[in-house]
Amino acid sequence: MGVQNYLYLSAILFTIGAAGVLLRRNAIVVFMCVELMLNATNLAFVTFARIHGNLDGQIIAFFVMVVAAAEVVVGLAIIVTIFRTRRSTSVDDANLLKY
Amino acid sequence: MTPAVSDPLLAAAHTSTTEAFGFWVLAPIAVLAALGMLFVRKAVHSALLLATTMIVLAVFYLAQSGPFLGIVQIVVYTGAVMMLFLFVLMLVGVDSSDSLVETLRGQRLTGLLLALGFGVLVVGALGRSAFDDVTVVGLGTANADGNVEGIARLLFTDYVLAFEVTSALLITAALGAMVLAHRERHTPRKSQRELSEERFRSDEHPGPLPPPGVYARHNAVDFPALLPDGSTSDLSVSRVLVARGDVQDVQPAVETTEQRSIEAGEAPEDVRPGPTQGGRY
């Protein structure tokens, strides 16, 4: 088995996450699909770190995790705030900026 | 394939048979769980499937000589982040499933085609790149002092500025979450007396809600109570149970009432055949 199989898996997972962002309507599920995309890129980073033989890829993956944690906290707070005012987490209902 | 080396940190240059076996067992699980996220209806199930994918990825980090990242993945992602997701799901309500109405017409099909096209592009680009010419260096030398030590050395020398900025980011995120989640109270809190007067002024039923049904066979909370006219009371079962679809049918009980009234020689005019929805009590 070649190391590139990890990269194929990463590409497939990223695609599934992107499809989820486009297809699902629940804001929380959309957010989870974004997390899946971030995880897929992390796998690619770790694999490239192994191919190149230095730890920079793992450092970048570590920073991605930190930023993702911050992003989850703020994003979920926004979702809860929207749910309080509109009683819904569907991304279709948050359309006040439409007109 | 080379035979498995005893030290996993040095074995990174080539994939061993053990690693290949693990990959072909775990990778389908990750892909299936990720695909399941797209198709399950309930958000809680999506969260559990995402946790599965994340644990599989953590195993892959461990296999690719990144033990620090593997552990951090489990602690931070499947531990903290997924718990945060589940807490928010609990706040928002378990019954928050997707609506099947398309706001934009054809959006589902377009999104699926776009995602498919993107996947074909990325996988095609990977397939065209010449991996056979690349020699996989492996992290044997970089991890010579240990993976955690290697990462720490890089983090506090080359990446120290990014590391410091990260702390500012985390503090800002924590503050932002507190500001967003904080609700300012504009009106004074209502006293119990005011609440009670308000309730009696409105045309709602002022008393407590009716309890669930108590029957000879069942007296569980998921059985609605029967009203004098034979219909069921929607208020007697919890709203959460109704949303989950867990409310049991009391059809047999209604039928026995009907039969008894027929046996008694009365016309069952008041007895409705099934449990009717929408009663106020």
Side-chain angles (χ1 to χ4, degrees):
Chain A
M1 185 190 88
V3 182
Q4 66 265 30
N5 284 359
Y6 286 109
L7 297 178
Y8 284 117
L9 175 66
S10 161
I12 291 171
L13 288 182
F14 191 91
T15 308
I16 294 174
V21 171
L22 291 173
L23 294 179
R24 298 299 301 255
R25 305 260 59 81
N26 189 334
I28 299 177
V29 180
V30 169
F31 211 44
M32 284 195 269
C33 288
V34 173
E35 290 303 309
L36 182 63
M37 291 162 80
L38 287 171
N39 269 278
T41 54
N42 270 355
L43 181 62
F45 275 130
V46 171
T47 311
F48 279 123
R50 177 187 188 179
I51 290 177
H52 292 293
N54 55 32
L55 285 171
D56 291 279
Q58 292 198 5
I59 296 273
I60 299 294
F62 174 70
F63 278 125
V64 169
M65 281 183 191
V66 175
V67 174
E71 169 231 340
V72 163
V73 167
V74 176
L76 287 179
I78 291 175
I79 290 177
V80 168
T81 315
I82 291 179
F83 178 77
R84 259 193 211 144
T85 51
R86 309 198 58 116
R87 306 314 289 174
S88 160
T89 53
S90 175
V91 285
D92 284 337
D93 292 340
N95 54 4
L96 278 180
L97 283 178
K98 201 169 159 192
Y99 300 110
Chain B
M1 296 209 189
T2 56
V5 186
S6 58
D7 187 0
L9 294 183
L10 295 173
H14 301 281
T15 49
S16 60
T17 321
T18 331
E19 192 186 340
F21 179 75
F23 180 84
W24 290 117
V25 169
L26 289 177
I29 295 178
V31 172
L32 283 179
L35 274 180
M37 277 181 67
L38 293 187
F39 297 116
V40 294
R41 266 186 70 244
K42 290 185 177 174
V44 182
H45 297 167
S46 270
L48 291 179
L49 288 170
L50 180 61
T52 311
T53 310
M54 283 172 170
I55 290 175
V56 170
L57 287 185
V59 174
F60 285 160
Y61 296 162
L62 291 173
Q64 303 213 68
S65 50
F68 177 70
L69 274 188
I71 301 299
V72 167
Q73 166 89 1
I74 289 181
V75 171
V76 172
Y77 261 119
T78 48
V81 170
M82 292 317 296
M83 280 312 110
L84 205 58
F85 268 110
L86 289 178
F87 266 114
V88 170
L89 277 176
M90 197 177 69
L91 279 179
V92 164
V94 192
D95 51 314
S96 61
S97 53
D98 269 12
S99 71
L100 293 172
V101 185
E102 279 188 331
T103 314
L104 305 169
R105 215 150 49 84
Q107 188 242 6
R108 220 167 281 259
L109 189 65
T110 320
L112 201 62
L113 285 179
L114 274 176
L116 269 181
F118 177 79
V120 168
L121 268 181
V122 178
V123 174
L126 272 178
R128 284 180 61 84
S129 47
F131 279 106
D132 296 334
D133 305 340
V134 174
T135 50
V136 178
V137 182
L139 290 171
T141 47
N143 275 347
D145 295 338
N147 180 250
V148 180
E149 284 83 352
I151 283 184
R153 189 169 296 128
L154 268 180
L155 204 57
F156 293 114
T157 54
D158 292 356
Y159 293 94
V160 70
L161 185 66
F163 187 69
E164 295 292 335
V165 172
T166 297
S167 64
L169 177 77
L170 285 176
I171 291 175
T172 317
L175 266 179
M178 277 194 275
V179 169
L180 280 171
H182 179 69
R183 194 165 21 177
E184 197 76 39
R185 181 172 280 282
H186 298 297
T187 52
R189 183 186 287 273
K190 281 178 183 157
S191 68
Q192 202 173 6
R193 181 181 187 88
E194 282 166 337
L195 281 175
S196 168
E197 282 170 354
E198 201 171 78
R199 192 149 64 145
F200 272 91
R201 279 210 189 90
S202 71
D203 54 349
E204 275 178 42
H205 181 59
L209 293 176
V214 177
Y215 306 109
R217 286 183 304 130
H218 308 282
N219 57 356
V221 286
D222 54 347
F223 276 86
L226 279 184
L227 295 176
D229 63 348
S231 63
T232 54
S233 164
D234 290 341
L235 290 177
S236 62
V237 280
S238 164
R239 196 173 51 82
V240 176
L241 289 179
V242 175
R244 277 196 210 147
D246 281 345
V247 177
Q248 305 293 318
D249 205 2
V250 285
Q251 186 84 27
V254 177
E255 274 170 9
T256 48
T257 333
E258 206 171 11
Q259 281 161 4
R260 202 179 304 134
S261 61
I262 290 171
E263 281 166 11
E266 299 164 2
E269 50 188 12
D270 274 345
V271 180
R272 280 176 240 167
T276 52
Q277 301 293 316
R280 260 192 66 209
Y281 302 123

